[in-house]
Amino acid sequence: MDTQSQHRLQNVLQAKAFVFDVDGTLTVSDGADWRGAVALPGAVDLLTWLRQSGRPYVLFTNGSTEPPAVYAERLRAAGLPIDDWQMITPGVTAAEIIAHEYPGRAVLVLGTDGVRAPLTERRIPIVDPEDAEQAGVVLVGWDTVLTYEQIEAAARAIWSGADLLVTSLAPVFVTKRGPRPGWSGSVAAAITWITGKEARVTGKPALEGLRAIARMLDLRPEDLTLVGDDLDLELRMGHEAGSATVLVRTGTSADAAVTPDVPDLAIPQLTELLAMLQQERN
């Protein structure tokens, strides 16, 4: 291993905290809600070792259909040692961004409890559509119901000076039944078309989401190691933010060619990362 590779490996292993993707990295499941999720090889042992050694870690998903506590409970059922606070969704990063950049502002939400619950936990006020002009932020997340009144309320809020945040701009997401249309990005695109206001993304691959996580851990992005299975989503985001990156070839980018820059480390499965961390610790 050359000097540069050794330096990059040390950045991975000596991170002050770890950020893990979930689907294809820690678990496999039949759907996006993680009911019946199964832990991938090494996932339980790695998280257990990190917890016992006092190394902080969080899980970062783009899902916003459920509150973080619901996701965390389903992953605990799969054997993963995770507390509710360690489950980071785009709703959680949105709440952090709003609390940090829009203190005291009320939020108009187009989405379910998956995006509402993190705002409520941070005691960020939520306004009803009839009071849309009082909102300082419009936040669009996952839902399956959209009405004209909601779009009108969002437009009124933005015309009154509110900013537009969205959990994800992904046009599609993949399921066992094939590709399905993305929701939040489609709704945000409609609002942008009407108002001319561009949406800020709070989930992956937006750098703002990872920076929000670093703030929540009282760290910098450069202090983090990001572990994931998708080169074009979380790993490129981590690299651009200055974090160390680890590709696990158990998911989306299993057969993808790596570049000299991304990732810092590529491994077949998480058992290899655990072995490296244990060796480095000794």
Side-chain angles (χ1 to χ4, degrees), residues 125-141:
I126 299 173
V127 300
D128 294 326
E130 55 265 29
D131 300 317
E133 288 85 355
Q134 298 177 19
V137 178
V138 174
L139 175 59
V140 180

Side-chain angles (χ1 to χ4, degrees), residues 179-191:
R180 299 182 64 192
W183 177 269
S184 55
S186 302
V187 175
I191 296 171

